[in-house]
Amino acid sequence: MTDGGPNLVYLVTGGCGFLGEHVVRTLLEKEPRLRELRVFDLHLGPWLEELNPGTQNVIEACVQTGTRFLVYTSSMEALGPNTKGHSFYRGNEDTPYEAIHTEPYPRSKAQAEKLVVEANGRKVRGGLPLVTCALRPTGIYGEGHQLMLKFYRTAQSTGGWLFRTVPPSVEHGRVYAGNVAWMHVLAARELGSRADTMGGQIYFCYDDSPYKSYEDFNLEILGPCGIRLLGTRPLLPYFLLFLLATINAFLQWLLRPLVVYTALINPYTLSLANTTFTVHTDKAQRHFGYQPLYSWEYSRDRTVSWVNTRKGYPSQ
């Protein structure tokens, strides 16, 4: 973001993605000082497919163009759950936790987050300091959530049933995309006036969505769409699920030269789903006045409505 006095210019990278679209919409609706909105995304045109900006390149672009404020979209997976399956129960940004990553996505998020935090205070063109912060959403849901739509269609293929694979005692934090977008807009807006407080900080994204297992939470959305969850406990023992996940990972590796094979269950997603990871924090509220813009009931109903409108569409 560049500060043009009373008028602000925003650049949203990944602006055509699930969260990016929510950020763009929130800026247009909720940022009165918006003068210009620029959207960058690899899907804008085929000529962009050869570019790989990377987080370090984004930081360097800020330095060279005199852009002073950078809000990075990280993920809870930059921290965990780790590969040892250690629970993170009602933790906050200062809770000790052993971050151990083997998969590319969480490892890259952790590395990028570190680059952004360390870039805080670096001089940009014109001599003023760069001010950065990173936001860590937990599991995001909302309109445009293609994975939720995939769960719906999977259940439709089995007569409207989903089969429980995760114990209901395993809790996860979920957050509505509209509230994540609002936190991004508010953080960007306040970085200039609260640089000493916010600069170089990491914030979990949170709202009033209930703590539940992934499957029980998904049923909050899919239940009103006619889907049911079979079983009060996992129908298959964990070792069989792990065997299936390992087979899926092997098939993915075996078929990689020919086709892209993606399965809902692999060793990483199985571990993620079976490890409690919930946050309880008010750091964003204390540092820059964040409050969820949308209630849980509104967020749920909007997501349910979106799934219902997509029922007749072909799979993407």
Side-chain angles (χ1 to χ4, degrees):
M1 181 185 73
T2 59
D3 191 345
N7 299 314
L8 300 175
V9 179
Y10 284 84
L11 168 65
V12 180
T13 60
C16 296
F18 170 41
L19 178 58
E21 288 188 357
H22 282 269
V23 172
V24 168
R25 188 179 303 115
T26 303
L27 280 168
L28 293 172
E29 295 175 355
K30 303 295 182 182
E31 179 50 86
R33 295 190 297 160
L34 179 66
R35 176 169 67 87
E36 184 177 343
L37 177 58
R38 305 172 184 176
V39 177
F40 180 87
D41 196 289
L42 293 180
H43 298 292
L44 289 176
W47 66 275
L48 289 172
E49 292 179 0
E50 297 180 0
L51 298 179
N52 181 21
T55 304
Q56 186 60 55
N57 288 349
V58 171
I59 294 169
E60 294 302 326
C62 290
V63 171
Q64 294 173 21
T65 61
T67 300
R68 290 201 54 215
F69 308 111
L70 173 61
V71 177
Y72 173 68
T73 306
S74 185
S75 167
M76 71 168 192
E77 292 180 55
L79 181 65
N82 63 26
T83 55
K84 293 184 178 180
H86 293 155
S87 295
F88 189 83
Y89 182 78
R90 307 291 195 272
N92 60 38
E93 291 85 349
D94 298 318
T95 301
Y97 189 80
E98 186 180 13
I100 307 171
H101 304 304
T102 57
E103 295 296 313
Y105 178 77
R107 189 166 62 244
S108 66
K109 280 296 184 183
Q111 292 170 348
E113 188 180 90
K114 183 173 184 290
L115 288 173
V116 169
V117 169
E118 291 177 347
N120 183 68
R122 185 175 172 186
K123 294 295 188 294
V124 303
R125 184 177 182 180
L128 293 173
L130 176 63
V131 186
T132 70
C133 70
L135 306 187
R136 285 177 179 166
T138 50
I140 306 177
Y141 68 96
E143 311 95 288
H145 188 199
Q146 295 301 317
L147 186 57
M148 188 70 74
L149 199 58
K150 187 171 184 178
F151 285 135
Y152 171 80
R153 288 173 173 153
T154 298
Q156 284 294 94
S157 68
T158 57
W161 291 95
L162 287 172
F163 302 97
R164 184 181 292 279
T165 61
V166 179
S169 59
V170 176
E171 292 186 342
H172 299 101
R174 304 293 286 273
V175 60
Y176 178 56
N179 286 324
V180 178
W182 171 237
M183 184 183 280
H184 278 71
V185 171
L186 195 58
R189 181 189 295 172
E190 298 296 326
L191 268 179
S193 60
R194 307 192 190 199
D196 290 342
T197 300
M198 296 176 62
Q201 293 294 320
I202 296 171
Y203 301 94
F204 279 117
C205 299
Y206 53 90
D207 60 15
D208 299 324
S209 301
Y211 300 122
K212 292 191 173 188
S213 75
Y214 275 121
E215 292 172 338
D216 286 298
F217 185 92
N218 289 346
L219 199 65
E220 293 280 350
I221 308 299
L222 300 179
C225 301
I227 304 304
R228 296 293 177 263
L229 183 61
L230 184 61
T232 58
R233 62 182 64 185
L235 298 181
L236 294 176
Y238 185 84
F239 80 90
L240 283 180
L241 289 172
F242 184 79
L243 178 61
L244 176 62
T246 303
I247 292 172
N248 281 335
F250 175 73
L251 287 175
Q252 184 179 30
W253 172 82
L254 187 66
L255 298 174
R256 185 175 300 164
L258 303 174
V259 296
V260 177
Y261 172 71
T262 56
L264 289 176
I265 297 179
N266 59 53
Y268 176 67
T269 59
L270 182 64
S271 175
L272 194 73
N274 280 272
T275 303
T276 290
F277 200 101
T278 57
V279 302
H280 183 75
T281 175
D282 64 350
K283 183 177 178 180
Q285 193 278 327
R286 289 185 285 108
H287 281 201
F288 54 94
Y290 165 76
Q291 292 284 355
L293 195 59
Y294 305 102
S295 69
W296 153 241
E297 291 77 15
Y298 176 91
S299 306
R300 177 196 59 206
D301 293 347
R302 289 276 294 181
T303 311
V304 169
S305 177
W306 177 79
V307 172
N308 277 322
T309 62
R310 299 296 300 180
K311 284 181 178 180
Y313 283 64
S315 300
Q316 297 178 350

mmCIF file of all heavy atoms in Angstrom, residues 191-206:
data_model
loop_
_atom_site.group_PDB
_atom_site.id
_atom_site.type_symbol
_atom_site.label_atom_id
_atom_site.label_comp_id
_atom_site.label_asym_id
_atom_site.label_seq_id
_atom_site.Cartn_x
_atom_site.Cartn_y
_atom_site.Cartn_z
ATOM 1 N N LEU A 191 -1.394 0.654 9.661
ATOM 2 C CA LEU A 191 0.058 0.462 9.733
ATOM 3 C C LEU A 191 0.806 1.791 9.841
ATOM 4 O O LEU A 191 1.803 1.894 10.575
ATOM 5 C CB LEU A 191 0.556 -0.302 8.504
ATOM 6 C CG LEU A 191 0.636 -1.822 8.603
ATOM 7 C CD1 LEU A 191 1.123 -2.408 7.280
ATOM 8 C CD2 LEU A 191 1.535 -2.266 9.742
ATOM 9 N N GLY A 192 0.358 2.806 9.118
ATOM 10 C CA GLY A 192 1.070 4.076 9.128
ATOM 11 C C GLY A 192 1.035 4.773 10.461
ATOM 12 O O GLY A 192 2.066 5.273 10.943
ATOM 13 N N SER A 193 -0.116 4.804 11.102
ATOM 14 C CA SER A 193 -0.262 5.529 12.363
ATOM 15 C C SER A 193 0.161 4.711 13.573
ATOM 16 O O SER A 193 0.368 5.277 14.659
ATOM 17 C CB SER A 193 -1.712 6.000 12.532
ATOM 18 O OG SER A 193 -2.593 4.890 12.548
ATOM 19 N N ARG A 194 0.302 3.392 13.416
ATOM 20 C CA ARG A 194 0.666 2.535 14.551
ATOM 21 C C ARG A 194 1.889 1.687 14.214
ATOM 22 O O ARG A 194 1.995 0.541 14.633
ATOM 23 C CB ARG A 194 -0.507 1.636 14.925
ATOM 24 C CG ARG A 194 -1.807 2.386 15.166
ATOM 25 C CD ARG A 194 -2.857 1.514 15.808
ATOM 26 N NE ARG A 194 -4.159 2.146 15.829
ATOM 27 C CZ ARG A 194 -5.159 1.796 16.628
ATOM 28 N NH1 ARG A 194 -4.998 0.797 17.482
ATOM 29 N NH2 ARG A 194 -6.323 2.424 16.589
ATOM 30 N N ALA A 195 2.816 2.289 13.482
ATOM 31 C CA ALA A 195 3.988 1.546 13.024
ATOM 32 C C ALA A 195 4.803 0.993 14.186
ATOM 33 O O ALA A 195 5.313 -0.131 14.117
ATOM 34 C CB ALA A 195 4.864 2.439 12.148
ATOM 35 N N ASP A 196 4.943 1.745 15.258
ATOM 36 C CA ASP A 196 5.750 1.281 16.397
ATOM 37 C C ASP A 196 5.129 0.059 17.058
ATOM 38 O O ASP A 196 5.843 -0.803 17.592
ATOM 39 C CB ASP A 196 5.904 2.405 17.424
ATOM 40 C CG ASP A 196 6.794 3.537 16.930
ATOM 41 O OD1 ASP A 196 7.542 3.306 15.960
ATOM 42 O OD2 ASP A 196 6.720 4.638 17.500
ATOM 43 N N THR A 197 3.811 -0.026 17.035
ATOM 44 C CA THR A 197 3.110 -1.150 17.661
ATOM 45 C C THR A 197 2.986 -2.340 16.726
ATOM 46 O O THR A 197 3.234 -3.489 17.111
ATOM 47 C CB THR A 197 1.703 -0.722 18.114
ATOM 48 O OG1 THR A 197 1.820 0.341 19.053
ATOM 49 C CG2 THR A 197 0.954 -1.884 18.748
ATOM 50 N N MET A 198 2.624 -2.086 15.459
ATOM 51 C CA MET A 198 2.283 -3.151 14.527
ATOM 52 C C MET A 198 3.464 -3.644 13.697
ATOM 53 O O MET A 198 3.435 -4.772 13.200
ATOM 54 C CB MET A 198 1.182 -2.669 13.571
ATOM 55 C CG MET A 198 -0.135 -2.342 14.249
ATOM 56 S SD MET A 198 -1.357 -1.675 13.068
ATOM 57 C CE MET A 198 -1.531 -3.068 11.945
ATOM 58 N N GLY A 199 4.483 -2.821 13.512
ATOM 59 C CA GLY A 199 5.578 -3.178 12.631
ATOM 60 C C GLY A 199 6.299 -4.441 13.066
ATOM 61 O O GLY A 199 6.716 -4.571 14.222
ATOM 62 N N GLY A 200 6.439 -5.400 12.137
ATOM 63 C CA GLY A 200 7.143 -6.639 12.429
ATOM 64 C C GLY A 200 6.347 -7.631 13.256
ATOM 65 O O GLY A 200 6.903 -8.624 13.733
ATOM 66 N N GLN A 201 5.040 -7.411 13.394
ATOM 67 C CA GLN A 201 4.204 -8.275 14.232
ATOM 68 C C GLN A 201 3.485 -9.331 13.404
ATOM 69 O O GLN A 201 3.274 -9.185 12.195
ATOM 70 C CB GLN A 201 3.176 -7.433 14.992
ATOM 71 C CG GLN A 201 3.769 -6.500 16.028
ATOM 72 C CD GLN A 201 4.410 -7.242 17.182
ATOM 73 O OE1 GLN A 201 3.884 -8.263 17.653
ATOM 74 N NE2 GLN A 201 5.544 -6.738 17.657
ATOM 75 N N ILE A 202 3.075 -10.399 14.093
ATOM 76 C CA ILE A 202 2.284 -11.482 13.515
ATOM 77 C C ILE A 202 0.963 -11.547 14.266
ATOM 78 O O ILE A 202 0.933 -11.453 15.504
ATOM 79 C CB ILE A 202 3.028 -12.827 13.620
ATOM 80 C CG1 ILE A 202 4.311 -12.793 12.787
ATOM 81 C CG2 ILE A 202 2.130 -13.977 13.183
ATOM 82 C CD1 ILE A 202 5.210 -13.982 13.005
ATOM 83 N N TYR A 203 -0.120 -11.695 13.517
ATOM 84 C CA TYR A 203 -1.448 -11.726 14.123
ATOM 85 C C TYR A 203 -2.234 -12.928 13.605
ATOM 86 O O TYR A 203 -2.301 -13.155 12.396
ATOM 87 C CB TYR A 203 -2.231 -10.450 13.773
ATOM 88 C CG TYR A 203 -1.582 -9.170 14.222
ATOM 89 C CD1 TYR A 203 -0.756 -8.459 13.353
ATOM 90 C CD2 TYR A 203 -1.792 -8.664 15.505
ATOM 91 C CE1 TYR A 203 -0.155 -7.280 13.755
ATOM 92 C CE2 TYR A 203 -1.200 -7.487 15.913
ATOM 93 C CZ TYR A 203 -0.366 -6.799 15.039
ATOM 94 O OH TYR A 203 0.231 -5.632 15.438
ATOM 95 N N PHE A 204 -2.836 -13.675 14.521
ATOM 96 C CA PHE A 204 -3.800 -14.678 14.103
ATOM 97 C C PHE A 204 -5.088 -13.973 13.671
ATOM 98 O O PHE A 204 -5.483 -12.963 14.253
ATOM 99 C CB PHE A 204 -4.138 -15.644 15.242
ATOM 100 C CG PHE A 204 -3.129 -16.734 15.440
ATOM 101 C CD1 PHE A 204 -2.409 -16.834 16.624
ATOM 102 C CD2 PHE A 204 -2.913 -17.684 14.453
ATOM 103 C CE1 PHE A 204 -1.486 -17.842 16.814
ATOM 104 C CE2 PHE A 204 -1.984 -18.705 14.639
ATOM 105 C CZ PHE A 204 -1.270 -18.781 15.818
ATOM 106 N N CYS A 205 -5.747 -14.505 12.641
ATOM 107 C CA CYS A 205 -7.066 -14.026 12.229
ATOM 108 C C CYS A 205 -8.119 -14.850 12.968
ATOM 109 O O CYS A 205 -8.044 -16.075 12.982
ATOM 110 C CB CYS A 205 -7.260 -14.163 10.719
ATOM 111 S SG CYS A 205 -6.084 -13.223 9.730
ATOM 112 N N TYR A 206 -9.096 -14.180 13.532
ATOM 113 C CA TYR A 206 -10.086 -14.879 14.350
ATOM 114 C C TYR A 206 -11.424 -14.168 14.255
ATOM 115 O O TYR A 206 -11.518 -12.993 13.893
ATOM 116 C CB TYR A 206 -9.633 -14.933 15.811
ATOM 117 C CG TYR A 206 -9.265 -13.581 16.403
ATOM 118 C CD1 TYR A 206 -10.233 -12.787 17.035
ATOM 119 C CD2 TYR A 206 -7.970 -13.088 16.319
ATOM 120 C CE1 TYR A 206 -9.898 -11.551 17.569
ATOM 121 C CE2 TYR A 206 -7.630 -11.853 16.857
ATOM 122 C CZ TYR A 206 -8.593 -11.082 17.478
ATOM 123 O OH TYR A 206 -8.266 -9.849 18.006
#
